[in-house]
Amino acid sequence: MHCPIFVNNGKKSLATTTVKRNGLVGLKDGSKNDGTVRMKRQIGLIGGIAMIIGTMIGSGIFISPTGVFQRVDGSVGVSLVVWIACGLLSTLTAVTYIELGTVVPRSGGEHAYFMAAFAPLHQFWGEIPAFLFAFMTVTLLKPSALAILSLSFGEYTILPILNGLGTCENWKKNSKDYEFGHKLLAIVCALFVATINIYSAKLSARVQIVFTVAKLIACALVIGIGLYNLSIGEFGSLPNSFDMSENTSYSSVALAFYSGLWSYDGWNNLNYLTEELIDPNRNLPLAIFIGIPLVTILYTFMNISYFTVLSKVELMTKEPVGISCYV
C-alpha cells in the first residue's frame, strides 16, 4: 500500500504503517510525535449516532411511503413488512462496514477500502477502482443527492409559509415565481451545509446533532398523532392489513424495496469520518447498532401513524404523506 511520506526535521516518517488483520491489509496510526499528518479525532459516540440518524432521516420517509404502498398494491401489512425488512437489510450491510472501518481505519469510506484492497496489486492500475469511485461520487452521486435534498427542503419550507400567508395557490399558478422561490431556498440550504462542513468538523457534528433532534421531534409529532388516533379507536387503514390484490406479484414487492431503501440511505456515512471518530473500534459499531435500529423503529411507527390518518386511496395518491397528516 502507498503511504505518504513526510519530512520531519530532516527525517522521513511514514504517515501510517500497514497492519494485517483477518487477511486484510489495514492502516495503523503512528505515534503522536513522529511528524505524522492525521485528522483530529473529535467526534464521539453521540456525534456518530447523530451523524447516522441525521443523514438517514430526511425527505424519504415523507415521500417513499407512497411508492412502497403503490408497489404492494395497497397492502398495509406487506408495506410494514417491507419497511422493517429494509431496516434489517441496512443493518446487516452495515455490519460489513464495521469490519472494514476497523480493519482500514481511514476516512473516505469506499475509496479507502478500494485503495487498501487493490492499490498493492499494481503501481498504476491498482488505484484505478478507487479513482473511478471517487470521481463518480464527487461529480455525480453526492451532488445529485444534495440537490434532491435541498430541493425538498426548499419546497417543504416554502409551502407552509405560502399557506400561512394565503397565497399558495396564487404562487403555484405563477409557476415561474414558485420555482424560483423554492430553488433559491435550495441553493441557500446547499451553501449553508457546505460552509458548515468546510469550516469545522466539530461544528458540523454539533449542527448535525441539533438538526437530528429537530427531525426526531418532527417524527415524534407524526407518531403522536398516530398513537392518539389509536387511543380513540381510529384505526384508519389498519384493519385487514394483509389484504392483497390478486394482481400483486413478487416482482412488484421487490420494487417496493427500492423506495424503502432510499429512505434508509446514509447508514454508511460514518465510515467516511473514521479518522475523526474517537475510539472507532468501540464507537463505530455502537453508533451503527444504535442508530440504524432506532431509525427502523421510527420509520415503522411513522408508517403506522400514516395508516391511522389517511385512507388507502390518499396513501396511494398523495406524494408527501407527512404533510398530508397535518393538512
Side-chain angles (χ1 to χ4, degrees):
M1 176 170 295
H2 300 283
C3 299
I5 299 179
F6 302 92
V7 177
N8 181 28
N9 297 328
K11 297 181 179 180
K12 293 182 178 180
S13 62
L14 290 177
T16 51
T17 57
T18 59
V19 294
K20 289 187 177 181
R21 187 188 307 170
N22 297 336
L24 296 176
V25 178
L27 299 176
K28 181 179 180 181
D29 292 334
S31 61
K32 294 183 178 180
N33 299 320
D34 62 356
T36 296
V37 176
R38 59 170 65 86
M39 302 296 293
K40 184 178 180 181
R41 298 193 182 276
Q42 52 188 348
I43 301 176
L45 177 60
I46 301 300
I49 295 173
M51 173 66 68
I52 292 175
I53 295 177
T55 53
M56 289 180 68
I57 299 178
S59 59
I61 187 57
F62 301 103
I63 297 176
S64 292
T66 299
V68 174
F69 200 63
Q70 288 174 343
R71 288 174 174 82
V72 297
D73 290 332
S75 175
V76 174
V78 176
S79 176
L80 291 176
V81 170
V82 168
W83 281 101
I84 295 173
C86 286
L88 179 61
L89 181 60
S90 299
T91 303
L92 293 177
T93 310
V95 171
T96 63
Y97 273 64
I98 293 174
E99 177 73 9
L100 290 170
T102 52
V103 172
V104 187
R106 296 182 62 186
S107 295
E110 291 87 347
H111 179 271
Y113 308 147
F114 279 129
M115 288 293 292
F118 299 109
L121 301 180
H122 192 275
Q123 186 175 1
F124 175 77
W125 296 107
E127 298 181 359
I128 294 297
F131 168 77
L132 292 176
F133 174 81
F135 179 80
M136 292 298 296
T137 300
V138 172
T139 59
L140 181 63
L141 298 179
K142 295 301 180 181
S144 60
L146 179 60
I148 293 172
L149 294 175
S150 299
L151 287 170
S152 299
F153 169 82
E155 186 170 359
Y156 292 161
T157 302
I158 201 171
L159 279 177
I161 295 174
L162 295 179
N163 284 326
L165 296 175
T167 59
C168 184
E169 294 300 325
N170 294 332
W171 266 64
K172 283 190 173 182
K173 289 178 181 178
N174 190 350
S175 58
K176 290 184 178 179
D177 291 340
Y178 179 77
E179 289 291 324
F180 176 79
H182 92 266
K183 287 182 179 179
L184 181 62
L185 285 174
I187 293 172
V188 172
C189 172
L191 291 176
F192 173 77
V193 172
T195 302
I196 292 297
N197 282 276
I198 291 171
Y199 180 75
S200 170
K202 181 179 290 186
L203 178 60
S204 66
R206 291 176 178 175
V207 171
Q208 186 74 55
I209 292 173
V210 172
F211 280 100
T212 299
V213 172
K215 292 178 182 180
L216 292 176
I217 292 174
C219 293
L221 289 175
V222 175
I223 294 172
I225 293 174
L227 293 177
Y228 173 76
N229 287 335
L230 291 175
S231 68
I232 62 175
E234 294 288 342
F235 297 102
S237 304
L238 288 176
N240 303 318
S241 296
F242 286 91
D243 287 348
M244 296 184 67
S245 171
E246 294 181 356
N247 298 324
T248 304
S249 62
Y250 291 110
S251 60
S252 62
V253 174
L255 287 174
F257 277 83
Y258 281 97
S259 297
L261 289 172
W262 181 63
S263 297
Y264 284 94
D265 186 36
W267 52 265
N268 62 330
N269 280 352
L270 191 59
N271 286 70
Y272 286 84
L273 304 174
T274 306
E275 289 184 55
E276 301 174 59
L277 190 64
I278 300 171
D279 192 5
N281 289 335
R282 171 185 178 271
N283 290 333
L284 181 62
L286 283 177
I288 287 175
F289 282 125
I290 294 174
I292 299 178
L294 181 57
V295 172
T296 304
I297 293 171
L298 285 174
Y299 281 3
T300 303
F301 278 100
M302 287 186 70
N303 277 276
I304 292 174
S305 298
Y306 294 152
F307 294 137
T308 64
V309 176
L310 304 174
S311 66
K312 291 185 177 181
V313 175
E314 289 174 322
L315 283 164
M316 297 185 73
T317 56
K318 291 190 175 183
E319 185 75 357
V321 293
I323 293 179
S324 302
C325 288
Y326 295 102
V327 176

